[in-house]
Amino acid sequence: MSSRSLLSRKQNSIPAAYYRGGTSRAIFFRKEDLPSEQQQWDGIFRGTIGSPDPYGRQLDGMGGGISSLSKVCVVSKSDRPDADVDYTFVSLGVKNMDVDYSSNCGNMISAVGPYAVDTELFPVAGEANDTVSVRIFNTNTGKVIRSTFPVVDGEAAAAGEFAIDGVAGTGARIRLDFIDPAGSRTGKLLPTGKVVDCFDDIPASCIDVGNPCVFVCASDLGVPGNLAPDEIDSHPTLLPQLDSIRRQAGVKMGLAETLKEVPGSVPKICLVSSPSDSYTSGMMQTSKDVDLVVRALSVGQPHKAVPITVALALAAAARVSGTVVADVVSKKPVDPAGVTLGHASGSLLVSAEFDAEGHLRCATVYRTARRIMEGRVFWKDTSA
């Protein structure tokens, strides 16, 4: 295309909002504002988020150069009798062209309920100062999540006294109940039918709760369980080893037929260790503060906290006898309400409720979220 043609083109724009959800951020779109053909969404998402960026900064878009800030959420009213809104999560590669619809994001789902209220997809009384529950159907996993949070004068409350590690300050508490969360992609709590498999001669437990996950003990890989994210990133062999295990687990779980076809976002992989073996670093925690030390990866990058869906899977795995998680979790919980996870930015309490037959009924976690911006986002068309 000639320089004259480029100069004559106007920028594209589309209505959007920008929210923090838990320890992530994402651009939010109403489905009705996007093209009716989903295959046309990818270019818009890349153009607004700033991918691909060979420099890894996403400086020409609204991404932040890391996986937890390279996200998009699409929300619409739901026609389902068991849900109020439908929510599709999209993860975008930072340096590559990847646009991944294969997983859910537990952090960003904390912002979906507030977004639904703020945009009147879930209308509340204009003068209401109360607590509401929004039933969210996640199209990626086919699961329903109940989001409960306060509203003020018809808008989702942002201010509050609840704090989460990894986010400065406090906010309104949001309770997320993941209903019947097992088998989000595979239909089974234990996708391989075993509590422990071996990949590259390393014991691993494959669990599907919220998202498919694979857990390995840090000690089996010969590394401390309290490595900082940058230490994981700079380790000479750890990331390739974890990706090899993750891809083998993905095939064994039925997520892909070949190692190459395993998506970047699932299964997620996480290192676990006993708090008595390695205490969490960076937040002045000791082994008495947490039940389990975890270091998770997200789209190949060490996560600075822990993805919520990984936390949910950890809570379930901790209660399944024989898993690598159950073998290292503290037998005397810090908080009887659930499992306290020690991650690179602090700690997180998460719970899993099983019925008498061993069926996982619900998994619960608490987050905060905040609307940062709304209006129109301008996106760069890179197709020409």
Side-chain angles (χ1 to χ4, degrees):
M1 180 176 290
S2 69
S3 59
R4 183 180 295 276
S5 297
L6 285 172
L7 287 171
S8 66
R9 293 172 61 185
K10 295 175 64 177
Q11 285 199 81
N12 303 288
S13 70
I14 187 172
Y18 198 55
Y19 276 69
R20 176 188 61 79
T23 54
S24 295
R25 291 199 307 262
I27 305 174
F28 274 72
F29 298 102
R30 289 176 63 129
K31 185 178 180 181
E32 65 191 51
D33 292 325
L34 291 165
S36 57
E37 298 295 328
Q38 186 169 316
Q39 58 262 38
Q40 298 180 37
W41 294 3
D42 293 7
I44 297 173
F45 296 162
R46 292 192 195 101
T48 55
I49 210 76
S51 290
D53 184 349
Y55 300 102
R57 298 180 64 190
Q58 294 176 318
L59 192 62
D60 207 26
M62 296 186 69
I66 57 176
S67 61
S68 61
L69 306 178
S70 187
K71 300 179 175 183
V72 165
C73 300
V74 180
V75 185
S76 63
K77 286 187 176 181
S78 181
D79 295 327
R80 296 173 58 92
D82 60 346
D84 301 301
V85 295
D86 293 341
Y87 149 67
T88 299
F89 171 69
V90 189
S91 172
L92 288 95
V94 176
K95 294 184 177 182
N96 57 43
M97 297 281 287
D98 289 353
V99 182
D100 191 344
Y101 296 81
S102 66
S103 67
N104 186 14
C105 176
N107 269 301
M108 283 319 308
I109 203 169
S110 62
V112 173
Y115 174 80
V117 168
D118 294 341
T119 56
E120 299 184 351
L121 288 171
F122 183 88
V124 297
E127 300 300 321
N129 293 292
D130 207 346
T131 297
V132 299
S133 289
V134 180
R135 300 169 303 164
I136 303 163
F137 175 72
N138 176 237
T139 65
N140 309 82
T141 62
K143 296 292 184 178
V144 173
I145 302 93
R146 183 172 59 242
S147 177
T148 304
F149 53 91
V151 295
V152 177
D153 293 336
E155 294 185 353
E161 299 179 353
F162 187 68
I164 60 174
D165 288 328
V167 178
T170 61
R173 190 178 77 164
I174 299 170
R175 172 174 175 150
L176 297 173
D177 295 310
F178 291 72
I179 311 301
D180 189 24
S184 65
R185 288 290 304 279
T186 66
K188 300 176 182 178
L189 175 67
L190 299 172
T192 70
K194 300 178 181 179
V195 292
V196 174
D197 293 275
C198 278
F199 307 109
D200 294 337
D201 296 323
I202 301 296
S205 291
C206 298
I207 305 289
D208 185 359
V209 174
N211 270 322
C213 298
V214 54
F215 301 116
V216 293
C217 286
S219 58
D220 289 332
L221 295 174
V223 297
N226 63 342
L227 286 173
D230 59 344
E231 292 176 315
I232 296 174
D233 213 15
S234 62
H235 193 281
T237 61
L238 186 56
L239 284 178
Q241 187 176 20
L242 289 172
D243 191 56
S244 173
I245 293 170
R246 191 189 73 83
R247 289 183 180 277
Q248 292 175 66
V251 172
K252 189 72 176 290
M253 297 165 83
L255 299 173
E257 292 186 1
T258 67
L259 299 179
K260 186 177 181 179
E261 292 174 320
V262 173
S265 59
V266 288
K268 298 186 182 298
I269 191 164
C270 179
L271 292 168
V272 298
S273 58
S274 167
S276 61
D277 293 336
S278 59
Y279 56 87
T280 57
S281 62
M283 296 298 291
M284 298 299 290
Q285 291 177 320
T286 70
S287 61
K288 295 181 180 180
D289 298 321
V290 301
D291 303 316
L292 184 71
V293 178
V294 302
R295 293 294 185 267
L297 272 69
S298 179
V299 197
Q301 295 181 325
H303 205 283
K304 296 185 184 300
V306 59
I308 293 303
T309 52
V310 175
L312 300 174
L314 283 163
R319 297 190 56 188
V320 178
S321 179
T323 66
V324 298
V325 178
D327 287 347
V328 297
V329 71
S330 174
K331 306 307 177 189
K332 296 181 179 180
V334 173
D335 189 325
V339 179
T340 302
L341 307 176
H343 54 79
S345 300
S347 62
L348 172 67
L349 176 67
V350 60
S351 65
E353 179 185 343
F354 288 81
D355 62 22
E357 287 73 39
H359 176 75
L360 182 58
R361 295 177 56 187
C362 180
T364 301
V365 69
Y366 298 90
R367 308 307 279 159
T368 63
R370 188 174 77 86
R371 175 172 47 180
I372 297 173
M373 180 281 297
E374 63 182 12
R376 300 187 71 85
V377 62
F378 289 81
W379 56 280
K380 189 176 184 177
D381 185 359
T382 59
S383 62

